[in-house]
Amino acid sequence: MVTNMDEVNIEFTSLLHTYLRTTNINDTELVGLSGCKYVDKILGGSDNSDKEEPLVVTKSEDRVYANAPNLLTVKVKGEKEILTVDKTGFKDYVFWNPWSELAKGMSDFGDSEYQEMLCVEAGAVSAPIVLEPGKEWEGFTTLTVESQ
């Protein structure tokens, strides 16, 4: 929660770094962003739109989905559980995986750990949140595991 205790508006961005562990990135699917526009940070901020679903990581990814739906689903082929990611207060999602080339250059990330993770981050990054004096803002993510 953020409370503006100042006498002027404040602006800020926020991102919850939610790293999801998976057994195999090649079998992991993200559902819920079909038709959504995103900025591809790897391609220099080019605007794109997802037409295919589910999303599957096959290379380094760093996308910002502005004004994305609240509810997403993460599925792993062959597993009985699915994970739902539900954001409140945030407008955006970031979809990220460093893949092999970037993982090797990260001091806090093992060279092969990209194969066992997917980052699905709720945030306010495409546009800052503007908070008037005396106002509060709250954002959170709810993760739920369910059987298929």
Side-chain angles (χ1 to χ4, degrees), residues 23-38:
T23 53
N24 185 338
I25 193 63
N26 299 310
D27 293 333
T28 304
E29 303 174 336
L30 180 63
V31 178
L33 293 170
S34 179
C36 295
K37 294 184 184 217
Y38 66 90

Side-chain angles (χ1 to χ4, degrees), residues 15 23 25 57 82 88 94 108 128:
L15 192 61
T23 53
I25 193 63
V57 178
I82 61 170
T88 301
V94 170
D108 62 344

Side-chain angles (χ1 to χ4, degrees), residues 102-110:
L102 293 179
K104 290 178 184 174
M106 298 170 66
S107 62
D108 62 344
F109 204 90

Side-chain angles (χ1 to χ4, degrees), residues 80-127:
K80 295 179 182 178
E81 293 83 21
I82 61 170
L83 174 73
T84 57
V85 182
D86 192 3
K87 63 180 173 60
T88 301
F90 293 104
K91 291 186 177 184
D92 309 327
Y93 270 116
V94 170
F95 172 66
W96 180 77
N97 183 293
W99 210 248
S100 59
E101 61 274 10
L102 293 179
K104 290 178 184 174
M106 298 170 66
S107 62
D108 62 344
F109 204 90
D111 289 357
S112 62
E113 286 182 335
Y114 73 94
Q115 298 173 29
E116 298 174 345
M117 64 79 64
L118 175 63
C119 196
V120 180
E121 304 170 292
V125 292
S126 64

Side-chain angles (χ1 to χ4, degrees), residues 34-108:
S34 179
C36 295
K37 294 184 184 217
Y38 66 90
V39 172
D40 191 320
K41 293 174 68 180
I42 292 175
L43 297 177
S46 64
D47 291 332
N48 296 281
S49 179
D50 268 322
K51 297 177 181 88
E52 294 184 27
E53 190 151 81
L55 290 177
V56 178
V57 178
T58 59
K59 62 185 181 359
S60 181
E61 296 284 5
D62 193 355
R63 302 177 179 185
V64 177
Y65 288 85
N67 300 308
N70 289 336
L71 191 65
L72 301 179
T73 304
V74 179
K75 300 177 181 181
V76 179
K77 293 177 189 173
E79 293 192 12
K80 295 179 182 178
E81 293 83 21
I82 61 170
L83 174 73
T84 57
V85 182
D86 192 3
K87 63 180 173 60
T88 301
F90 293 104
K91 291 186 177 184
D92 309 327
Y93 270 116
V94 170
F95 172 66
W96 180 77
N97 183 293
W99 210 248
S100 59
E101 61 274 10
L102 293 179
K104 290 178 184 174
M106 298 170 66
S107 62
D108 62 344

